[in-house]
Amino acid sequence: MASAHSPLSRDDRRTELREFLRSRRARVSPADVGMPDGGRRRTPGLRREEVAVLAGVGVSWYTWLEQGRDIKVSEQVLDAIARVLLLDSAERAHLYRLAGLNPPQAPSAPSVAASPEVRRLLDAWSPRPGYIRDRHWNFTAVNDAARVVFGYRESDHNCLVAFFTNVRYRVLHRHWAETAPDVAAAFRADAARYPDDPEFGRIASDLAAVSPEFAELWVLHDVAEHTSAVKAVDHPEAGMMIFDATLLPLPEHPGHHLILHNPRPGTETQQRLETLMRQHSLVVPHPG
């Protein structure tokens, strides 16, 4: 039996697919999908034949699918079955995986304000820096520690633009020149996820007009993806601080990410950070 953290074998996946489809079919009544009841049924829910007809596939083919046989499936057919079985987005993605396909990427949400729950998490992360950005890298929330440590201003509305145009951030960042190519490459990779979104091009064009460094990097067409990074800040009040940054997607808002910075052990960053926060009259929580 596969563990919770190991991938399912092909046989296990077929077994899981069979049981999943049967359980989803059993919970949908004919009335739920606009069909007459048809009298007493031996088992609850829709019959295989009814699912097949409503999804526009052959009865034998659907039976083989539910039996876990080795047959080819398409995204269109799985979507049709998902609609008939009234699957939500998580169940639809699960069906794709069990059928051996990658789930379609969730459509990116427009920029939305951080929820109260995420804001509380961001505030609780202090005195460690943290912020939230949308798919265009616009800030939707920045905690006080991030403003003090990285020099973000109230006028900084976009993470990419701030990196290349905020002079204070640039001076504080110990390895700015080495990091800049990766930052531009990561933004291009994100832009490629949404080829029909003109906002990425507008941001890049406007930034290239005011930042020669970004303009030179952008025309290289390099791409990179990162879920973590190391940030070294040479702060005039606190000295050298080194952070491990982790980028966490927010599933309820596709395209949005929570970026949290944790002091690197053995660098005295935690102590320097706490002292800096006290100097700026920001509360530093104590354990216990």
Side-chain angles (χ1 to χ4, degrees):
M1 181 176 178
S3 71
H5 301 289
S6 63
L8 294 173
S9 68
R10 176 176 292 186
D11 289 342
D12 288 338
R13 195 175 69 217
R14 289 175 182 173
T15 299
E16 182 68 18
L17 175 62
R18 180 176 65 247
E19 298 303 324
F20 179 68
L21 285 173
R22 286 177 178 174
S23 67
R24 300 308 93 172
R25 179 164 58 84
R27 74 179 186 179
V28 180
S29 71
D32 291 334
V33 291
M35 294 180 62
D37 193 335
R40 183 183 298 274
R41 294 176 174 241
R42 288 181 300 173
T43 57
L46 296 176
R47 299 185 178 100
R48 287 176 176 170
E49 297 82 0
E50 293 167 336
V51 174
V53 170
L54 291 171
V57 299
V59 175
S60 295
W61 185 92
Y62 179 78
T63 300
W64 294 337
L65 176 68
E66 194 171 291
Q67 289 175 343
R69 295 197 189 185
D70 188 12
I71 59 175
K72 291 185 177 181
V73 297
S74 68
E75 296 178 358
Q76 292 78 8
V77 170
L78 290 183
D79 283 344
I81 293 172
R83 286 194 296 271
V84 173
L85 298 180
L86 307 179
L87 303 187
D88 61 25
S89 59
E91 292 170 328
R92 177 170 171 260
H94 187 59
L95 174 62
Y96 264 73
R97 295 187 184 99
L98 293 179
L101 298 180
N102 290 323
Q105 182 177 345
S108 178
S111 184
V112 296
S115 67
E117 294 80 10
V118 176
R119 280 192 172 275
R120 285 195 292 271
L121 172 61
L122 203 56
D123 291 338
W125 191 251
S126 289
R128 294 162 293 180
Y131 55 84
I132 301 169
R133 72 185 193 201
D134 65 14
R135 75 174 181 184
H136 300 121
W137 292 29
N138 294 315
F139 291 120
T140 64
V142 182
N143 70 8
D144 290 332
R147 297 193 185 280
V148 172
V149 172
F150 300 131
Y152 288 131
R153 306 160 298 190
E154 291 293 338
S155 59
D156 287 322
H157 300 299
N158 182 280
C159 186
L160 177 74
V161 175
F163 182 92
F164 282 95
T165 65
N166 182 332
V167 176
R168 177 173 171 78
Y169 179 91
R170 183 166 174 166
V171 170
L172 291 174
H173 203 296
R174 183 66 176 268
H175 304 295
W176 187 93
E178 295 89 334
T179 305
D182 285 341
V183 173
F187 187 76
R188 185 176 284 283
D190 278 359
R193 299 176 190 274
Y194 312 101
D196 298 325
D197 186 343
E199 183 65 8
F200 288 96
R202 186 199 66 76
I203 293 172
S205 178
D206 290 350
L207 180 55
V210 297
S211 172
E213 295 91 346
F214 177 77
E216 291 178 5
L217 294 169
W218 192 245
V219 297
L220 298 178
H221 290 268
D222 290 339
V223 293
E225 294 189 7
H226 302 285
T227 57
S228 61
V230 178
K231 292 185 181 180
V233 176
D234 195 358
H235 201 280
E237 300 172 57
M240 179 60 66
M241 292 185 289
I242 302 176
F243 297 91
D244 293 312
T246 302
L247 186 146
L248 304 170
L250 297 177
E252 68 274 22
H253 299 307
H256 290 59
H257 289 84
L258 172 66
I259 294 89
L260 300 178
H261 301 79
N262 211 25
R264 174 160 283 202
T267 64
E268 299 185 5
T269 298
Q270 181 69 36
Q271 299 90 322
R272 292 172 181 173
L273 179 62
E274 292 179 359
T275 300
L276 179 63
M277 292 299 100
R278 291 192 185 95
Q279 290 172 351
H280 286 261
S281 301
L282 297 175
V283 175
V284 177
H286 291 280

